[in-house]
Amino acid sequence: MGIIVSLPGGGASEKDYQIQFGKNIGIQIETYAPYLPAEWALQSGIQLTWPHAGTDWAYMLDEVQRCFIDIAREIAQREKLLIVTPYPEEVKEQISASVNMENVRFLTCNTNDTWARDHGAITLQDVDGPSLLDFKFNGWGLKFASDKDNLITHQAVEAKALKGRYVNRLGFVLEGGSIESDGMGTLLTTSECLLSPNRNGQMNQVEIEEYLRSVFHLQRVLWLDHGYLAGDDTDSHIDTLARFCSPSTIAYVQCTDENDEHYEALRLMEEQLRTFRTLKDEPYRLLALPMPDKIVEDGERLPATYANFLIMNEAVLYPTYRQPANDARAKEVLQQAFPKYEVIGIDCRALIKQHGSLHCVTMQYPAGIIK
């Protein structure tokens, strides 16, 4: 059920909004004009791109597949799950004993790796249905091979695994992990990532912002200029640092150890977040997530972060790192952010060995997209 009201937009015109009363959010307001939905918007399901022996996971395949099975189990218990893999029969054997197979769909295609957040389609909603925007994925600034992953979205639409209008945006490099939407016309991102010379180096910040505002019908872009994670390959994706939990709430990583290498950058990030204002010109409600204790493998610090959580329809899945006190504190913070959601931890020590975490391997799709 809904109530249609008219509210002033960002310019001289007005935009239509719908107030929807749902189970988890008392009042949800979303534009009727083309808009980039927030992650908490009603979903049809989640995409996972499954690890196999031809990926960088080959040396630890059993370990990472156990993590993927844990994620798949929690998703398919609640929503549709689209698994992208060249080997669907092998994956069925791995998951059938513990995953609700009635909610599982498969797309058979070749893949380089598993980071669905960054090669998956980015959805734009409109009154006459969703558009599936296919941006160029170039392996986080030409660091890794991505030729197969960069074809997945087009193949998914062609195979009708995803339902919506296919929109070719392959002239612009953009990963889903680099942007956060509040569903109201605000985009949160990092200058370190979006201004990387190996992504869209021919464009300056003003040009990139104008492009994003035009494509996503934004009112504004909030640029974070500070914050990073050691061992991160993404050039500071926003989903490792700060996340919208509602149009007025941001959860972010806080470092309180002055001897930690992240302390100064994350302190400056926190200060900048305090200067940001909502569309109502109010300060954001800021919720500090703990910084995981240092995890080192082969002399390298791994990019563990609790900001890499996934918002679903009725649950929030968040990564844990076998650090009981920090894992518990992160859950407490996320429960504050999502009081009506079930908050579920999944051991993601395996994922950070390839420099990502839970949000990085998932991509959510709004209602109606996954059949």
Side-chain angles (χ1 to χ4, degrees):
M1 98 183 193
I3 301 172
I4 306 300
V5 297
S6 186
L7 298 176
S13 63
E14 292 187 340
K15 292 184 178 180
D16 289 329
Y17 287 73
Q18 182 180 27
I19 302 178
Q20 298 174 324
F21 297 88
K23 177 177 179 181
N24 295 312
I25 298 178
I27 298 178
Q28 180 177 324
I29 305 177
E30 295 178 340
T31 61
Y32 250 15
Y35 72 99
L36 182 64
E39 193 163 310
W40 56 82
L42 185 65
Q43 299 172 8
S44 60
I46 309 288
Q47 176 182 324
L48 287 175
T49 303
W50 208 261
H52 57 81
T55 65
D56 288 341
W57 298 107
Y59 74 101
M60 53 173 290
L61 194 56
D62 288 345
E63 180 183 358
V64 76
Q65 286 178 345
R66 286 195 297 272
C67 180
F68 268 70
I69 291 169
D70 290 341
I71 297 171
R73 183 183 63 250
E74 297 298 339
I75 293 172
Q77 183 178 328
R78 299 166 176 84
E79 298 181 19
K80 297 292 188 299
L81 170 63
L82 174 64
I83 295 178
V84 178
T85 174
Y87 309 111
E89 295 305 318
E90 291 184 11
V91 177
K92 287 177 186 177
E93 290 182 10
Q94 294 171 31
I95 69 175
S96 58
S98 58
V99 174
N100 176 15
M101 297 302 291
E102 290 185 4
N103 274 345
V104 178
R105 309 290 182 267
F106 285 92
L107 172 66
T108 304
C109 68
N110 292 324
T111 62
N112 298 104
D113 216 327
T114 55
W115 308 105
R117 178 63 45 181
D118 297 334
H119 60 242
I122 297 177
T123 306
L124 193 67
Q125 290 283 38
D126 206 345
V127 288
D128 57 350
S131 294
L132 299 167
L133 277 58
D134 188 8
F135 291 93
K136 184 175 182 179
F137 174 57
N138 73 346
W140 308 284
L142 305 175
K143 297 182 181 72
F144 301 96
S146 58
D147 56 314
K148 298 172 185 175
D149 290 344
N150 199 39
L151 300 175
I152 290 174
T153 292
H154 186 263
Q155 292 180 66
V157 177
E158 286 288 301
K160 302 188 186 307
L162 299 177
K163 181 181 178 182
R165 287 183 300 274
Y166 175 81
V167 180
N168 185 332
R169 291 286 178 181
L170 293 170
F172 189 85
V173 178
L174 186 70
E175 302 112 33
S178 70
I179 57 174
E180 277 281 305
S181 172
D182 69 351
M184 301 290 292
T186 299
L187 193 78
L188 179 64
T189 190
T190 67
S191 54
E192 178 72 19
C193 179
L194 261 63
L195 303 184
S196 164
N198 286 335
R199 285 179 171 84
N200 300 293
Q202 75 282 6
M203 302 170 71
N204 60 34
Q205 182 170 347
V206 171
E207 292 168 332
I208 289 174
E209 179 166 334
E210 288 177 351
Y211 177 87
L212 295 171
R213 288 169 67 102
S214 173
V215 168
F216 293 126
H217 302 267
L218 303 172
Q219 297 194 52
R220 61 188 185 145
V221 178
L222 299 177
W223 295 84
L224 267 182
D225 300 312
H226 307 282
Y228 85 102
L229 286 180
D232 170 35
D233 290 326
T234 69
D235 303 306
S236 297
H237 269 186
I238 192 67
D239 72 349
T240 68
L241 299 169
R243 303 286 306 284
F244 279 125
C245 302
S246 79
S248 60
T249 301
I250 296 175
Y252 69 99
V253 178
Q254 182 185 64
C255 181
T256 58
D257 180 1
E258 296 185 10
N259 295 316
D260 191 293
E261 64 184 292
H262 299 96
Y263 177 78
E264 184 62 15
L266 292 180
R267 182 188 68 80
L268 292 171
M269 183 185 80
E270 184 177 36
E271 288 184 1
Q272 189 176 13
L273 285 170
R274 294 188 186 283
T275 70
F276 289 165
R277 292 295 181 268
T278 69
L279 288 169
K280 295 181 179 179
D281 197 30
E282 298 172 347
Y284 281 96
R285 176 193 182 208
L286 299 178
L287 298 177
L289 291 161
M291 183 79 190
D293 297 335
K294 182 187 292 189
I295 302 174
V296 177
E297 183 169 280
D298 296 330
E300 176 189 41
R301 183 165 184 173
L302 301 180
T305 170
Y306 293 110
N308 211 243
F309 56 85
L310 172 69
I311 307 168
M312 296 177 60
N313 287 335
E314 299 183 351
V316 173
L317 308 186
Y318 81 102
T320 62
Y321 302 107
R322 303 176 202 168
Q323 299 178 8
N326 286 328
D327 293 347
R329 177 56 186 156
K331 182 174 183 176
E332 291 174 4
V333 173
L334 291 172
Q335 199 69 75
Q336 292 177 44
F338 302 97
K340 297 182 180 180
Y341 287 62
E342 185 179 8
V343 179
I344 302 163
I346 295 179
D347 184 348
C348 290
R349 282 283 292 245
L351 297 184
I352 60 173
K353 293 180 182 181
Q354 280 295 316
H355 308 155
S357 199
L358 196 154
H359 194 250
C360 300
V361 298
T362 61
M363 173 56 86
Q364 79 286 341
Y365 292 106
I369 293 178
I370 299 178
K371 297 181 181 178

